[in-house]
Amino acid sequence: MATTQQIIERHDQYMTHNFSRYPIAIAEASGCVLTDGDGKQYLDLFAGFGAGILGHCHPDLVTAGVKQMNKVWHVGNLLHTEPQTLLAEQISTKGFGGKSFFCHSGADANEGAIKLARLYGKQHRGKSTGEFGRFKIISATQSFHGRTFATMGATGNVTVRQGFEPLPPGFVNVAFNDIAAIEAELDETAIAIIVEPIQGEGGINVPDEGYLAKLRKICDERDMLLILDEVWTGCGRTGKYFAHQHWDVKPDVMTLGKAVGCGLPVGVVCAGERVWDLFDNTKMGRVTHATTLGGNCVSMAVAARMFEVIERDELLPRATRAGEAIKARLRKFAEKHPVVKDVRGKGLFIGVELDPAAEGAWFTSGNEIVSQCLERGLLINCTHNTVLRLAPPLVITDEEMDRGLEVMEKALSGK
Ligand SMILES: Cc1ncc(COP(=O)(O)O)c(C=O)c1O
């Protein structure tokens, strides 16, 4: 294998530089441990933005993937294949019901959800007299729904869309967790609300208890759609299969990405009863949404197996217990170290908000903590400069977690 330096040089010459990458090249990964080309190991508490929900190269997933690779990879969606149906069944029965459409990423899934909302708004025009019926989609500030053209509009972070205007019209962003702000946008054009049950890129923001239920009520009263973006929170990350189950609120459309593919590129639009016919080519008289490689057999076989492993190994209660223990430990640390302002999240989706102005803070940004941790063999993440994020694989052991937290606490206290 090439050296790290050679890999970086080739990257610099032949790849666009979309990401600020650390000068580390990972050669192998297993469980919660990454190993670079020089043999240095990193404990992975971020799992590739949460996608490695069962850790790296989980033996059951490897077996499922390899077995499928030796059978059939891809035949196109004019034919049936069993793995798609198995994954769709898992998502429907573990979730709110619904029928799945498979694509490749979180943004891709949200594009599909937005298309469903637009179609629904043409059929359910309400008081709208305009040519396009109802089309406005309300989302939250600090939300993240993707970087494709439509999802940039739904994404609340304005820097994401800078320079790409004009964007498709019909999106407004209002404060997260603020029902009055939503209500202010409920005119005759409003057709859907899209929200993350817990904001991920925005800083692990958990909504107030009644927030999602109130959104559900608004959507029911106004014949609008509630789209829950579970790209970060889905597939056991928060200690339930899907985060909306914490609040017992059912969406009309749920989108998945990241963890559902376990590291392979999978996106899912799970459409509820009110909307699934809008993707039915027979009922609509034409194809309203499609993609070539969505639902390829290998990704599907791996993803379907992931749900079975979560169930078999009781990883949901495990994620809940581990998450509570991590939060308790970090809150105790915060009592003596005011640099930690808040510890929040559910299951193994945890945010640690820092206060760089607090007494004892040696850093100006959480990214300095991330760098220190990396030097000491620990991978965590920071968003918005001040929120450290932990999203380890659900299979992490107590010993690994303790080891990781010790490194992080040392880095936070400048030791
Ligand atoms: C909640 C949420 N939705 C959608 C996306 C977009 O997913 P992808 O990067 O797979 O396109 C992300 C990515 O971080 C996300 O956090």
Side-chain angles (χ1 to χ4, degrees):
M1 185 183 151
T3 63
T4 299
Q5 193 50 35
Q6 286 167 333
I7 292 170
I8 292 173
E9 278 167 15
R10 209 182 311 129
H11 162 273
D12 289 350
Q13 194 171 353
Y14 297 116
M15 288 175 67
T16 56
H17 293 191
N18 304 50
F19 309 94
S20 301
R21 293 179 199 257
Y22 304 111
I24 296 169
I26 298 302
E28 278 178 30
S30 173
C32 301
V33 177
L34 307 171
T35 308
D36 74 10
D38 302 324
K40 179 169 174 180
Q41 294 198 324
Y42 299 85
L43 180 61
D44 185 2
L45 299 193
F46 199 54
F49 286 79
I53 193 81
L54 295 189
H56 302 279
C57 300
H58 188 289
D60 288 300
L61 301 186
V62 171
T63 303
V66 170
K67 203 166 148 198
Q68 189 59 50
M69 276 187 143
N70 282 312
K71 279 191 191 167
V72 52
W73 293 27
H74 167 71
V75 293
N77 286 310
L78 294 180
L79 299 164
H80 291 279
T81 48
E82 187 180 22
Q84 296 188 348
T85 61
L86 293 176
L87 178 57
E89 182 181 16
Q90 290 283 1
I91 292 168
S92 189
T93 54
K94 303 255 175 344
F96 71 101
K99 299 189 181 191
S100 285
F101 168 82
F102 296 116
C103 50
H104 312 96
S105 69
D108 202 359
N110 285 329
E111 284 279 337
I114 290 164
K115 285 179 72 173
L116 281 175
R118 285 282 174 95
L119 289 172
Y120 193 78
K122 298 283 180 307
Q123 288 188 348
H124 298 248
R125 288 171 175 261
K127 292 191 181 128
S128 157
T129 51
E131 181 187 356
F132 299 125
R134 294 193 287 160
F135 57 86
K136 185 166 84 175
I137 296 177
I138 306 169
S139 66
T141 50
Q142 291 206 343
S143 64
F144 192 90
H145 299 292
R147 290 176 183 270
T148 58
F149 256 82
T151 59
M152 274 195 289
T155 291
N157 181 347
V158 288
T159 59
V160 165
R161 62 180 95 114
Q162 255 167 23
F164 298 107
E165 304 84 357
L167 294 181
F171 292 92
V172 288
N173 314 130
V174 303
F176 182 60
N177 213 8
D178 183 344
I179 292 294
I182 295 266
E183 281 171 345
E185 289 294 342
L186 296 175
D187 57 18
E188 73 286 354
T189 66
I191 191 61
I193 298 170
I194 181 169
V195 72
E196 298 156 79
I198 299 175
Q199 286 192 327
E201 297 311 301
I204 320 284
N205 303 318
V206 183
D208 293 341
E209 272 311 305
Y211 180 65
L212 289 183
K214 283 181 193 148
L215 295 185
R216 179 67 271 170
K217 190 161 176 274
I218 288 170
C219 289
D220 288 342
E221 285 169 359
R222 296 186 159 252
D223 190 17
M224 289 170 59
L225 301 177
L226 180 60
I227 303 170
L228 292 182
D229 177 342
E230 294 247 19
V231 168
W232 241 124
T233 52
C235 307
R237 167 64 52 211
T238 69
K240 300 266 188 197
Y241 276 111
F242 304 105
H244 64 263
Q245 293 166 334
H246 287 290
W247 294 281
D248 202 17
V249 168
K250 288 187 182 166
D252 298 298
V253 184
M254 172 175 76
T255 55
L256 301 176
K258 298 192 196 284
V260 71
C262 308
L264 296 178
V266 180
V268 182
V269 185
C270 185
E273 204 173 354
R274 288 169 77 193
V275 290
W276 64 42
D277 280 353
L278 298 167
F279 275 176
D280 184 318
N281 79 91
T282 313
K283 291 186 175 135
M284 296 297 283
R286 67 190 168 103
V287 173
T288 50
H289 198 49
T291 185
T292 301
L293 282 170
N296 79 84
C297 299
V298 177
S299 303
M300 298 293 107
V302 168
R305 187 79 184 114
M306 173 265 293
F307 280 102
E308 291 170 357
V309 173
I310 289 181
E311 192 71 29
R312 182 196 69 194
D313 295 349
E314 299 179 356
L315 293 177
L316 297 182
R318 157 99 195 111
T320 304
R321 268 199 314 276
E324 289 308 315
I326 294 164
K327 280 188 290 187
R329 175 173 171 159
L330 290 171
R331 283 177 182 146
K332 207 158 172 209
F333 178 86
E335 284 169 15
K336 293 202 181 122
H337 300 83
V339 293
V340 173
K341 198 166 145 188
D342 190 26
V343 179
R344 54 184 182 251
K346 281 193 184 288
L348 287 172
F349 194 38
I350 293 173
V352 181
E353 186 167 354
L354 306 178
D355 179 4
E359 198 191 324
W362 62 269
F363 52 87
T364 53
S365 152
N367 291 310
E368 293 165 72
I369 303 291
V370 174
S371 298
Q372 275 263 331
C373 288
L374 267 178
E375 272 176 36
R376 298 168 188 193
L378 175 71
L379 178 61
I380 58 172
N381 176 262
C382 177
T383 184
H384 288 273
N385 278 323
T386 52
V387 184
L388 298 181
R389 291 191 296 180
L390 306 179
L394 304 188
V395 295
I396 191 159
T397 63
D398 291 346
E399 184 277 321
E400 285 172 322
M401 205 63 231
D402 284 346
R403 191 151 45 90
L405 290 177
E406 207 169 307
V407 172
M408 194 174 120
E409 288 171 351
K410 272 195 181 146
L412 282 167
S413 44
K415 286 186 192 153

Short mmCIF file of all heavy atoms in Angstrom, two decimals, residues 78 82 117 122-123 140 153 163-164 177 194 203 227 243 249 261 268 318 335 389 398 411 413:
data_model
loop_
_atom_site.label_atom_id
_atom_site.label_comp_id
_atom_site.label_asym_id
_atom_site.label_seq_id
_atom_site.Cartn_x
_atom_site.Cartn_y
_atom_site.Cartn_z
N LEU A 78 -36.91 -3.12 -13.34
CA LEU A 78 -38.03 -3.69 -14.11
C LEU A 78 -38.26 -5.15 -13.71
O LEU A 78 -39.18 -5.80 -14.18
CB LEU A 78 -37.77 -3.59 -15.61
CG LEU A 78 -37.73 -2.15 -16.15
CD1 LEU A 78 -37.48 -2.15 -17.65
CD2 LEU A 78 -39.02 -1.41 -15.84
N GLU A 82 -35.39 -10.26 -4.27
CA GLU A 82 -35.85 -10.46 -2.89
C GLU A 82 -35.25 -9.47 -1.88
O GLU A 82 -35.97 -8.99 -0.99
CB GLU A 82 -35.57 -11.91 -2.44
CG GLU A 82 -36.19 -12.18 -1.07
CD GLU A 82 -35.96 -13.59 -0.56
OE1 GLU A 82 -35.01 -14.24 -1.01
OE2 GLU A 82 -36.74 -14.01 0.31
N ALA A 117 -44.43 15.61 -1.72
CA ALA A 117 -45.17 16.76 -1.18
C ALA A 117 -45.72 17.62 -2.32
O ALA A 117 -46.88 18.06 -2.29
CB ALA A 117 -44.28 17.60 -0.27
N LYS A 122 -50.67 19.19 -5.47
CA LYS A 122 -51.44 19.37 -6.72
C LYS A 122 -52.81 18.71 -6.58
O LYS A 122 -53.79 19.19 -7.14
CB LYS A 122 -50.71 18.73 -7.91
CG LYS A 122 -49.36 19.30 -8.22
CD LYS A 122 -49.46 20.63 -8.94
CE LYS A 122 -48.07 21.17 -9.24
NZ LYS A 122 -47.16 21.26 -8.10
N GLN A 123 -52.82 17.57 -5.86
CA GLN A 123 -54.09 16.84 -5.70
C GLN A 123 -54.95 17.41 -4.58
O GLN A 123 -56.16 17.31 -4.61
CB GLN A 123 -53.81 15.37 -5.40
CG GLN A 123 -53.29 14.59 -6.58
CD GLN A 123 -53.22 13.10 -6.28
OE1 GLN A 123 -53.36 12.67 -5.15
NE2 GLN A 123 -53.00 12.31 -7.32
N ALA A 140 -36.77 23.86 9.31
CA ALA A 140 -36.23 24.59 10.47
C ALA A 140 -34.87 25.19 10.17
O ALA A 140 -34.09 24.65 9.39
CB ALA A 140 -36.12 23.64 11.65
N GLY A 153 -32.70 24.19 -0.39
CA GLY A 153 -33.76 25.11 0.04
C GLY A 153 -34.33 24.71 1.38
O GLY A 153 -34.66 25.55 2.22
N GLY A 163 -24.48 31.28 -3.26
CA GLY A 163 -23.84 31.23 -4.57
C GLY A 163 -24.56 30.36 -5.57
O GLY A 163 -24.19 30.32 -6.74
N PHE A 164 -25.58 29.63 -5.11
CA PHE A 164 -26.28 28.72 -6.02
C PHE A 164 -27.64 29.25 -6.48
O PHE A 164 -28.37 28.57 -7.19
CB PHE A 164 -26.48 27.35 -5.35
CG PHE A 164 -25.16 26.68 -5.02
CD1 PHE A 164 -24.72 26.60 -3.71
CD2 PHE A 164 -24.37 26.16 -6.02
CE1 PHE A 164 -23.51 26.00 -3.41
CE2 PHE A 164 -23.16 25.56 -5.74
CZ PHE A 164 -22.72 25.48 -4.42
N ASN A 177 -38.17 24.07 16.94
CA ASN A 177 -38.78 23.95 18.26
C ASN A 177 -39.72 25.11 18.57
O ASN A 177 -39.98 25.40 19.73
CB ASN A 177 -37.64 23.92 19.31
CG ASN A 177 -37.98 23.06 20.48
OD1 ASN A 177 -38.98 22.34 20.47
ND2 ASN A 177 -37.17 23.12 21.51
N ILE A 194 -41.03 19.69 6.96
CA ILE A 194 -39.96 18.69 7.03
C ILE A 194 -39.07 19.03 8.21
O ILE A 194 -38.66 20.19 8.37
CB ILE A 194 -39.14 18.59 5.71
CG1 ILE A 194 -38.06 17.51 5.83
CG2 ILE A 194 -38.53 19.91 5.31
CD1 ILE A 194 -37.38 17.15 4.52
N GLY A 203 -26.41 20.49 15.68
CA GLY A 203 -25.80 20.44 17.01
C GLY A 203 -26.51 19.53 18.00
O GLY A 203 -26.51 19.80 19.20
N ILE A 227 -43.09 15.39 7.11
CA ILE A 227 -41.94 14.61 6.62
C ILE A 227 -40.89 14.59 7.72
O ILE A 227 -40.42 15.65 8.14
CB ILE A 227 -41.33 15.26 5.35
CG1 ILE A 227 -42.39 15.41 4.26
CG2 ILE A 227 -40.14 14.45 4.85
CD1 ILE A 227 -41.94 16.27 3.07
N ALA A 243 -36.33 7.71 15.55
CA ALA A 243 -36.41 8.64 16.68
C ALA A 243 -37.82 9.12 16.97
O ALA A 243 -38.16 9.43 18.11
CB ALA A 243 -35.48 9.83 16.43
N VAL A 249 -45.08 9.75 17.53
CA VAL A 249 -45.66 10.60 16.48
C VAL A 249 -45.34 9.95 15.14
O VAL A 249 -44.17 9.65 14.86
CB VAL A 249 -45.05 12.01 16.53
CG1 VAL A 249 -45.41 12.81 15.28
CG2 VAL A 249 -45.51 12.74 17.78
N GLY A 261 -27.62 2.08 5.25
CA GLY A 261 -26.72 1.33 4.36
C GLY A 261 -25.52 0.75 5.08
O GLY A 261 -24.69 0.08 4.46
N VAL A 268 -33.58 6.02 1.62
CA VAL A 268 -34.93 5.44 1.60
C VAL A 268 -35.96 6.54 1.76
O VAL A 268 -35.83 7.40 2.64
CB VAL A 268 -35.12 4.43 2.76
CG1 VAL A 268 -36.51 3.80 2.70
CG2 VAL A 268 -34.04 3.35 2.75
N ARG A 318 -29.36 -1.53 24.49
CA ARG A 318 -27.93 -1.32 24.73
C ARG A 318 -27.56 0.15 24.42
O ARG A 318 -26.85 0.80 25.17
CB ARG A 318 -27.15 -2.30 23.85
CG ARG A 318 -25.77 -1.95 23.53
CD ARG A 318 -24.75 -2.70 24.42
NE ARG A 318 -23.44 -2.07 24.31
CZ ARG A 318 -22.87 -1.39 25.29
NH1 ARG A 318 -23.44 -1.27 26.47
NH2 ARG A 318 -21.70 -0.83 25.11
N GLU A 335 -19.79 19.39 35.90
CA GLU A 335 -19.96 20.07 37.20
C GLU A 335 -18.65 20.72 37.63
O GLU A 335 -18.63 21.77 38.25
CB GLU A 335 -20.39 19.06 38.27
CG GLU A 335 -21.86 18.68 38.16
CD GLU A 335 -22.20 17.49 39.05
OE1 GLU A 335 -21.41 17.13 39.95
OE2 GLU A 335 -23.29 16.91 38.80
N ARG A 389 -19.54 16.04 18.86
CA ARG A 389 -20.57 15.01 18.61
C ARG A 389 -19.98 13.62 18.77
O ARG A 389 -18.90 13.34 18.24
CB ARG A 389 -21.15 15.16 17.19
CG ARG A 389 -21.98 16.40 17.04
CD ARG A 389 -22.74 16.40 15.74
NE ARG A 389 -21.87 16.42 14.57
CZ ARG A 389 -22.32 16.42 13.33
NH1 ARG A 389 -23.62 16.37 13.09
NH2 ARG A 389 -21.48 16.47 12.31
N ASP A 398 -18.36 -1.22 26.64
CA ASP A 398 -18.20 -0.26 27.75
C ASP A 398 -16.74 0.15 27.90
O ASP A 398 -16.42 1.31 28.14
CB ASP A 398 -18.69 -0.88 29.07
CG ASP A 398 -20.20 -1.08 29.05
OD1 ASP A 398 -20.87 -0.50 28.17
OD2 ASP A 398 -20.70 -1.83 29.92
N ALA A 411 -8.44 15.86 27.11
CA ALA A 411 -8.25 16.93 26.11
C ALA A 411 -9.03 18.18 26.53
O ALA A 411 -8.53 19.29 26.43
CB ALA A 411 -8.71 16.45 24.73
N SER A 413 -9.79 19.15 29.50
CA SER A 413 -9.21 19.84 30.66
C SER A 413 -7.76 20.25 30.42
O SER A 413 -7.07 20.68 31.33
CB SER A 413 -9.36 19.00 31.93
OG SER A 413 -9.05 17.66 31.67
#
